[in-house]
Amino acid sequence: LLAQGNPPTFVFWEDGIMSGYRRPTSSALDCVLSSFQMTNETVNIWTHFLPTWYFVWRLLALAGGPGFRAEPYHWPLLVFLLPACLYPFASCCAHTFSSMSPRARHICYFLDYGALSLYSLGCAFPYAAYSMPASWLHSPLHRLFVPTAVLNSFLCTGLSCYSRFPELENPGFSKALRTAAFAYPFLFDNLPLFYRLWLCWGRAGCGPEALSSSHSHHLLCALLAGLLFTARLPERLAPGCFDYIGHSHQLFHICAILGTHFQLEAVLVDMRSRRAWLATQEPPLGLEGMVTMLGLVVAGNLLIIITFTASLLRAPGTCPLLQGGQPEGGPQAKQQ
């Protein structure tokens, strides 16, 4: 199942990863079997496949609690957990089946990006329900927080999918565009936390505005994930030494999953500790509104993905995006 002889084409090549590539024309069965072999994707696959079931377990455990689902106050948390289960599973599938062909690789990651953008919307529901600063409640920002997150989700999917097209001709621009596509929704979603952090900076007691340690751990993991995604460390410093274990994308996966875990714990802390205070406030969005928003984003993101996929399918086989060819001067050329 591993590529033999020639190095992978440019489309499949990753900076600093010198070996462990699968054949770029693998069948679906080959791709599944490769997850049980040691390739440079194996750890990527399992670091998101196993956490998928952890979050499914957390969702079922919370939803199955006495009276939990019947309480409207808990619905934003349950809606958040749906994309929290979906995005690692979509990522696992993308890494598993991305070696079937150049077209399949791009389409797999289109779907991966769509799931991540859906997760960015999922984060907005509990933040709007449980984490808003007191001075923001029922303000225009509070009322527009989730609708803006819907637009951010569309923007995230569109930019990240588009970023794959200039990847060969202008990899720096492609990377910057993809990073911005995911960084912007994250920064927007966490505005309530940043403001609460600013309010409580250097103060002994902040009442309901205080952030828990889980909030801090979540933000730290997100920062580490972003740095790993952009810096491509450690394989950038020692090409070939971290091909199978320890390269940046594997560490990025681990930080992302830990960040989601701490985010869930932080949301639970806010939901429980601020309940008496929030009970006096009108909820920002009911179940019908949340389901409508989520359905709108699923449909919109699928339309965006279908549009990019159609463009990809219409491209001739000689298109550099699909052929790539070898990096000039061999695999080491792309390192420079």
Side-chain angles (χ1 to χ4, degrees):
L1 302 180
L2 291 174
Q4 301 292 332
N6 294 327
T9 61
F10 215 170
V11 172
F12 294 87
W13 181 261
E14 297 289 346
D15 288 346
I17 308 298
M18 312 300 289
S19 62
Y21 290 93
R22 298 172 294 175
R23 286 190 293 106
T25 54
S26 302
S27 67
L29 178 59
D30 287 341
C31 290
V32 172
L33 293 176
S34 74
S35 65
F36 298 96
Q37 289 186 324
M38 204 58 200
T39 72
N40 58 34
E41 288 283 23
T42 304
V43 177
N44 286 334
I45 293 168
W46 289 97
T47 50
H48 269 179
F49 179 75
L50 295 177
T52 296
W53 303 108
Y54 166 73
F55 289 119
V56 168
W57 169 69
R58 293 297 301 269
L59 171 61
L60 295 177
L62 286 168
F68 199 93
R69 282 176 296 174
E71 178 64 58
Y73 182 73
H74 298 145
W75 291 342
L77 173 65
L78 297 180
V79 173
F80 158 73
L81 276 168
L82 293 175
C85 296
L86 175 65
Y87 92 80
F89 183 71
S91 171
C92 163
C93 291
H95 284 284
T96 299
F97 297 107
S98 61
S99 64
M100 291 180 67
S101 71
R103 279 192 175 92
R105 180 178 180 84
H106 292 302
I107 293 169
C108 281
Y109 286 112
F110 290 164
L111 294 168
D112 183 22
Y113 302 154
L116 279 169
S117 74
L118 190 64
Y119 171 67
S120 77
L121 172 64
C123 297
F125 291 122
Y127 282 178
Y130 313 127
S131 301
M132 281 286 161
S135 59
W136 289 13
L137 286 177
H138 309 306
S139 67
L141 177 59
H142 191 200
R143 289 193 295 270
L144 295 173
F145 190 74
V146 173
T148 304
V150 170
L151 298 178
N152 291 345
S153 179
F154 294 146
L155 182 65
C156 174
T157 303
L159 286 179
S160 56
C161 289
Y162 173 74
S163 74
R164 300 198 66 83
F165 287 81
E167 195 166 30
L168 298 181
E169 293 82 3
N170 196 339
F173 172 70
S174 171
K175 189 75 170 181
L177 194 63
R178 197 173 307 159
T179 302
F182 294 114
Y184 167 65
F186 167 79
L187 293 173
F188 177 82
D189 284 346
N190 285 277
L191 281 177
L193 303 187
F194 296 144
Y195 185 73
R196 287 169 59 189
L197 181 64
W198 177 77
L199 283 178
C200 296
W201 194 264
R203 293 175 58 184
C206 296
E209 306 292 20
L211 296 182
S212 70
S213 59
S214 293
H215 281 302
S216 302
H217 295 153
H218 158 59
L219 294 174
L220 176 61
C221 287
L223 176 63
L224 288 174
L227 290 175
L228 289 164
F229 182 78
T230 54
R232 300 196 68 85
L233 296 173
E235 70 271 13
R236 185 175 169 186
L237 301 177
C241 294
F242 301 95
D243 291 354
Y244 295 92
I245 297 177
H247 64 72
S248 61
H249 204 83
Q250 297 169 356
L251 301 177
F252 164 73
H253 273 202
I254 293 168
C255 287
I257 289 300
L258 287 174
T260 304
H261 163 74
F262 286 122
Q263 185 180 31
L264 172 59
E265 296 301 318
V267 166
L268 286 168
V269 169
D270 275 351
M271 184 185 75
R272 291 163 180 162
S273 65
R274 305 176 105 210
R275 178 164 189 163
W277 172 63
L278 288 171
T280 63
Q281 311 294 327
E282 182 182 352
L285 206 61
L287 180 61
E288 183 178 339
M290 286 187 287
V291 171
T292 300
M293 293 281 190
L294 206 59
L296 176 66
V297 169
V298 169
N301 280 340
L302 283 176
L303 184 60
I304 292 170
I305 291 168
I306 289 169
T307 301
F308 280 104
T309 299
S311 175
L312 197 65
L313 294 176
R314 286 197 301 268
T318 55
C319 173
L321 188 67
L322 302 177
Q323 287 290 327
Q326 305 295 344
E328 294 181 9
Q332 289 79 6
K334 202 181 175 190
Q335 303 294 324
Q336 301 172 2

